[in-house]
Amino acid sequence: MLPSYMFYLNDFPTPSVWMAAYFVVSKNLYGIGAWIVILGCIYGVNGVVKRMLNYPFFEPLGRLTYGAYLVHPFVMRYMFVSVRAPVHYSDLLALSLVFGATVISYLLALVLCLLFELPTTALQNHLFGSFKEQKSNPVDAESGTNGTNQTLINPGFAEKKSEKFSYSPKTIK
C-alpha cells in the first residue's frame, strides 16, 4: 500500500495508464513473490529466509500474536458494545481505537500465555517428555536400513539387493 502512495502524492492526470497498470499488476506480483518465498522455505531452497524465520526471537512473538488473534474479537466486541453515545469519526479517535485495541489484545494474550499456555506446555513436557527423547534414526532409502543390521522398510528389498549382486554357485548356473 505504501508504494502506491507515490501516485497520490504526485500530480498525475486522473486517468493515468501507469496507475492502472500498477494497480492491476501489483497484487498479483506480490502474491507470486510470496508464493515463491513460501515454496522456497518448504523445499529448503531459500536458506537465508528459512534461517531468519527460524530465529528463536520469533517463537515467543508467534505465541503472543496467536494469542492476540484469539483474544482480539472479544476485545473489539467489548470496545464497541460498551459505547453509550453515538461516535463521530475523527482521526484521533480512529487512531486511539486501533492502538488501544492492539495494546489490550497483546496484553491479554500475554496474560493468557503466562497463565495457561506455558504451564500446560511444561506439564506436557513433564508427562510426555520421554517421547521427545526417542529420536528416530534417518532411513537410508537405498539400503532400507538406518545404519544398523535391522531392515526398516520393505524387508524383501534388502534380500533382493543382496541376491542380485551375489555371485554364488547357485546364481551362476
Side-chain angles (χ1 to χ4, degrees):
M1 202 159 109
L2 202 52
S4 63
Y5 183 67
M6 68 180 206
F7 291 112
Y8 294 109
L9 185 65
N10 299 326
D11 290 330
F12 287 109
T14 305
S16 174
V17 174
W18 291 109
M19 283 178 68
Y22 176 79
F23 286 118
V24 168
V25 175
S26 66
K27 291 181 183 179
N28 294 328
L29 288 180
Y30 180 79
I32 291 169
W35 186 243
I36 289 171
V37 169
I38 289 170
L39 284 177
C41 288
I42 290 173
Y43 292 112
V45 176
N46 204 350
V48 175
V49 175
K50 192 172 184 177
R51 272 193 308 243
M52 285 183 351
L53 292 176
N54 286 334
Y55 193 66
F57 170 75
F58 289 118
E59 185 178 346
L61 190 64
R63 287 183 182 186
L64 283 178
T65 302
Y66 182 67
Y69 165 75
L70 293 176
V71 169
H72 191 70
F74 299 108
V75 170
M76 294 304 295
R77 179 173 288 181
Y78 176 75
M79 288 180 74
F80 288 120
V81 169
S82 65
V83 174
R84 294 183 183 222
V87 178
H88 301 286
Y89 177 78
S90 71
D91 291 335
L92 183 62
L93 177 67
L95 198 63
S96 66
L97 284 176
V98 167
F99 284 126
T102 304
V103 168
I104 291 172
S105 294
Y106 273 95
L107 286 176
L108 285 176
L110 179 66
V111 168
L112 287 176
C113 183
L114 292 175
L115 290 180
F116 293 108
E117 186 177 1
L118 293 180
T120 305
T121 304
L123 184 63
Q124 283 178 343
N125 288 338
H126 182 69
L127 292 176
F128 305 115
S130 61
F131 294 121
K132 288 178 96 175
E133 292 171 4
Q134 298 173 356
K135 293 182 180 177
S136 62
N137 293 330
V139 175
D140 183 14
E142 193 172 310
S143 67
T145 63
N146 63 349
T148 63
N149 292 332
Q150 299 174 342
T151 302
L152 298 177
I153 56 173
N154 196 0
F157 179 74
E159 293 170 9
K160 289 178 187 176
K161 184 178 176 186
S162 64
E163 288 175 7
K164 185 178 179 181
F165 296 110
S166 66
Y167 296 106
S168 65
K170 183 172 74 173
T171 57
I172 296 180
K173 287 183 190 180

